[in-house]
Amino acid sequence: METIKKNLTERRSRSMIQITDPRIEGYLMKLQPEDDAQILAMEEKAREMKFPIIDRLVGRFLHLLTRLKQPKLVVELGSGFGYSALWFARALGEGAKVVLTEYAEKNIAYARQMFEEEGLADKAEFRVGNALEIGQEYDNIDILFIDIDKYQYPAALEAMLPRLAQNALVIADNTLWYGRVVEENSNKDSEAVKRFNELMFSRSDFFTTIVPLRDGVLLSYRI
Amino acid sequence: METIKKNLTERRSRSMIQITDPRIEGYLMKLQPEDDAQILAMEEKAREMKFPIIDRLVGRFLHLLTRLKQPKLVVELGSGFGYSALWFARALGEGAKVVLTEYAEKNIAYARQMFEEEGLADKAEFRVGNALEIGQEYDNIDILFIDIDKYQYPAALEAMLPRLAQNALVIADNTLWYGRVVEENSNKDSEAVKRFNELMFSRSDFFTTIVPLRDGVLLSYRI
């Protein structure tokens, strides 16, 4: 949580590139009204707590990718209080599940409550602890979602590669890191994000692309 | 061809919103070098002829979606000289195919030549004529790609809905129409794109989202 809060403050205080024109983002949000009570409650909570969650447009995108992929097992590295996990879970078929990983017990408790209210608790495993350590307990992961501290991205990839199913999809958020990947002044986080992107694109056993949706969503499909 | 050329000139002469920051687009292009001879030849031809093709980043995205979806049948409404179709075809599995539709016979002839050079001709049907009429000859379409004249988008949706497979994916390019969907001064094309977007988002039998990649890629998954 401390790291998360620090990151959020950093993001807001530093100059950033506006990746997408705000009028376009406004149009997209207006087209896609949301009436799901749990989704709206989580968004409200994130605003109140200034807690970083994925954008709703990213959530909808994850949801659609999950419907296309029809995975049996989704593992999230870095779940916060479960907002992205809920978008995954709502797209899962019979017998499939999403594993949430998060340091803060109270975040996981809140996630569990939201999942129960939505009737989706049987589609999730709620795990408290180190995301990388927990992630490596799983095998045949169909979708790996990476959204932990940015400096950990390259290490997460290395640790999790042996855990992926054939034809797995790796999804990573913040891979444009508020545009800092193209800025001169870099720090530990932006260097790590750049290295992670280069690692993924250099692998011939994955087909990789980045979609400039909000803060940049990397998609990498294991061939 | 006449309409295409007219549209292209119109696009360039009118003011437009820069949807994505050009530095970000530059970074993304640099990450994803391309060495496929046919892809590069088609991009060169498009530049020389000032012929509108999808962006390479959109091509990569279509390719990845196709790998996720593993369709048997892809139908393109509006194939030009086959650039998007080649991205689809390269992602298709055994026995799957993409149907190209295009008015201009010489464009289809060129597409066929490129597919043959790439060894992918058996994965494609090359059709000359009215895209909407030809499209309706097919059933159980897994992926429908819409990239015809923009004023035709709503009609294309209506005509093709009965032809879609269960769990079909509809993909439409230019759904932000160079940002004109948020501009006051609209014309026949931008009104049609807006109406098309609203139609897709209003349907509860589809889960729809727009990715602001280049000119806006609409994705709609039949639930």
Side-chain angles (χ1 to χ4, degrees), chain A residues 112-146:
Chain A
R112 190 193 298 272
Q113 179 198 331
M114 288 293 113
F115 271 70
E116 279 168 1
E117 287 178 12
E118 185 109 355
L120 288 171
D122 62 325
K123 289 201 182 300
E125 273 185 43
F126 302 92
R127 305 285 309 269
V128 176
N130 180 295
L132 271 191
E133 280 170 27
I134 298 168
Q136 290 177 81
E137 292 175 23
Y138 296 86
D139 270 314
N140 284 313
I141 298 169
D142 299 302
I143 295 182
L144 175 69
F145 181 60
I146 307 178

Side-chain angles (χ1 to χ4, degrees), chain A residues 153-207:
Chain A
Y153 273 36
L157 178 64
E158 197 180 346
M160 297 302 296
L161 274 177
R163 305 299 169 174
L164 300 180
Q166 212 189 345
N167 297 338
L169 176 66
V170 175
I171 309 174
D173 197 21
N174 307 114
T175 52
L176 296 172
W177 199 223
Y178 299 86
R180 275 184 221 127
V181 289
V182 297
E183 284 179 349
E184 287 293 328
N185 292 327
S186 60
N187 62 13
K188 191 175 68 166
D189 282 335
S190 35
E191 283 308 311
V193 169
K194 281 199 270 191
R195 201 162 66 249
F196 172 77
N197 290 343
E198 283 154 20
L199 281 170
M200 289 280 15
F201 277 95
S202 70
R203 296 194 68 101
S204 59
D205 53 343
F206 282 82
F207 182 88

